[in-house]
Amino acid sequence: MSEIQAVLCGYYGKGNGGDEALLASMLEMLPSHVKPLVLSADPRATSKSYGVRSYDRMNSGSVVRALKESQVLILGGGSLIQDATSIRNSIYYGGLIGLARQFGLQTFAIAQGIGPLNKPLTRWIAKRAFENCTAVSVRDPASAALIEQWGISGIMAPDPVWSLAATPIPELAGISSPKIAVTLRSHPKLTATSLNTLTQALASLQASTGSHILLVPFQPTTDLEIAQQIQAQLTDNSQIITLSNPKQLKGLFQNVDLAIGMRYHSLIMAAAEGCKCWAISYDPKVSKLMTEIDIPGWELADIPTDANAIAQTWQSHLTTGTALSSQLLQTLHQSSLAHKNLLISKL
């Protein structure tokens, strides 16, 4: 079979553990005859981490060169076409798909979480972009309903990070249990008051259970400061763990008893590795995930104001809560491979 080159684009090279996990998953999906070229915010780091060619995603000359050298464009996972953060996301990815089609490339939108699309313009861009794709797969029922409404055929399967191979972290195995991982991120609704309440709750939980608390900044540029603020209020039985390798990041949760997470992919990684989870939702995608796999938690705006009540709730879940069943995990793992099978069948 002759070799072809595929351009992979997503929110890569930004140091976000979830998006790097999606890139790692996409690279695992590619058939052996498909050579990847990754558009990244940090091409040098991406090339070093994954052993692939990488071009600057914001350099128009590099992007055009990448497309002209390739036969396929893959929009690779995540909430890429949405206007919750900025309309620029939809314009960038929608424009990239349009340009790829002009150059005659096959275009694939894989494992997409579409939206929110609050503005008529972004809804129009999204519809046109997905209509121009050779094949589409989505990761949640709301996205599936949207492409069906638009008359676009596609498949729905769980996020590919469910089946990403994890690399264990042996050093964590020697730490006494219980171990609690915390992944908070900056957000306008995570006010100083809310963060202080959560920090007091963690300190109380630590005191009552003797837990070792792992503070895990999924995107250090935005999350590390929060982790440092929390650790300053905890005992020495805590540490900040920063991992750039997404397979190691997922493997971290193999040794954790409870994960308290805001980050979407932190919850998927933790649940996939058999960890009990408690979600704090800042975004509809997290709320959807909570519903789909029955993860307990709170909306960010509805966090209780009583730190002791929060600590007691977490302690109860740590003691009597359950992780996902092995049967459900096996189903999620197998089902998530549908994205890979779609790519293989079309490439």
Side-chain angles (χ1 to χ4, degrees):
M1 192 175 292
S2 59
E3 186 176 84
I4 61 175
Q5 183 163 280
V7 176
L8 271 60
C9 65
Y11 196 70
Y12 308 143
K14 293 279 193 176
N16 183 309
D19 291 293
E20 294 305 303
L22 284 169
L23 174 55
S25 298
M26 291 294 145
L27 293 172
E28 284 187 347
M29 288 183 196
L30 295 179
S32 58
H33 71 285
V34 178
K35 179 183 172 184
L37 194 165
V38 180
L39 297 181
S40 169
D42 190 344
R44 186 172 297 178
T46 296
S47 292
K48 183 179 178 181
S49 296
Y50 302 98
V52 296
R53 293 177 67 205
S54 183
Y55 287 172
D56 186 344
R57 71 192 294 273
M58 297 309 292
N59 183 307
S60 57
S62 294
V63 170
V64 168
R65 185 164 72 253
L67 295 175
K68 285 185 173 180
E69 292 176 2
S70 306
Q71 296 78 47
V72 174
L73 172 73
I74 300 173
L75 199 66
S79 301
L80 299 178
I81 296 186
Q82 47 85 15
D83 56 17
T85 53
S86 170
I87 193 173
R88 291 193 298 269
N89 296 297
S90 297
I91 293 172
Y92 177 84
Y93 294 110
L96 199 58
I97 289 173
L99 191 60
R101 295 297 286 173
Q102 284 185 26
F103 290 152
L105 278 71
Q106 291 189 78
T107 55
F108 297 87
I110 301 298
Q112 293 298 296
I114 306 171
L117 299 171
N118 298 311
K119 300 177 178 65
L121 175 60
T122 46
R123 289 185 70 85
W124 179 82
I125 291 172
K127 183 173 183 290
R128 287 294 301 272
F130 290 114
E131 283 175 340
N132 277 326
C133 286
T134 308
V136 177
S137 71
V138 297
R139 69 182 185 187
D140 62 87
S143 297
L146 192 55
I147 61 170
E148 183 180 5
Q149 177 186 326
W150 289 338
I152 298 168
S153 62
I155 66 166
M156 182 185 75
D159 190 285
V161 174
W162 283 106
S163 53
L164 176 68
T167 301
I169 310 294
E171 310 90 87
L172 295 181
I175 298 172
S176 60
S177 292
K179 292 187 280 286
I180 298 173
V182 180
T183 59
L184 300 186
R185 56 156 292 164
S186 61
H187 191 275
K189 290 182 181 177
L190 183 62
T191 63
T193 300
S194 295
L195 180 57
N196 184 56
T197 301
L198 290 172
T199 302
Q200 289 179 30
L202 284 170
S204 177
L205 178 65
Q206 185 182 49
S208 61
T209 62
S211 300
H212 186 92
I213 294 184
L214 308 171
L215 300 159
V216 189
F218 254 55
Q219 188 167 7
T221 54
T222 59
D223 302 356
L224 180 57
E225 184 178 352
I226 289 175
Q228 290 169 336
Q229 289 178 34
I230 294 171
Q231 191 186 32
Q233 303 299 317
L234 301 177
T235 70
D236 291 339
N237 199 24
S238 64
Q239 64 188 106
I240 296 173
I241 298 185
T242 303
L243 296 168
S244 59
N245 183 318
K247 295 186 178 184
Q248 290 182 335
L249 194 55
K250 191 179 184 189
L252 175 152
F253 293 99
Q254 293 175 351
N255 294 288
V256 168
D257 300 284
L258 172 65
I260 299 168
M262 282 178 67
R263 291 279 185 186
Y264 177 82
H265 281 105
S266 75
L267 294 165
I268 287 180
M269 289 180 182
E273 297 306 313
C275 182
K276 298 175 186 177
C277 296
W278 189 275
I280 299 174
S281 177
Y282 71 98
D283 186 277
K285 66 187 176 187
V286 179
S287 302
K288 291 174 191 172
L289 181 66
M290 292 166 67
T291 300
E292 287 164 16
I293 59 173
D294 198 22
I295 294 177
W298 301 298
E299 295 293 320
L300 181 54
D302 300 328
I303 293 172
T305 56
D306 185 338
N308 288 326
I310 293 174
Q312 288 170 12
T313 300
W314 284 340
Q315 184 171 349
S316 175
H317 190 53
L318 175 64
T319 306
T320 63
T322 56
L324 299 190
S325 69
S326 57
Q327 183 177 3
L328 177 55
L329 287 177
Q330 181 66 17
T331 299
L332 288 165
H333 176 93
Q334 289 297 326
S335 299
S336 70
L337 296 175
H339 302 292
K340 177 180 181 177
N341 295 335
L342 175 66
L343 269 181
I344 290 173
S345 70
K346 297 294 184 180
L347 291 173

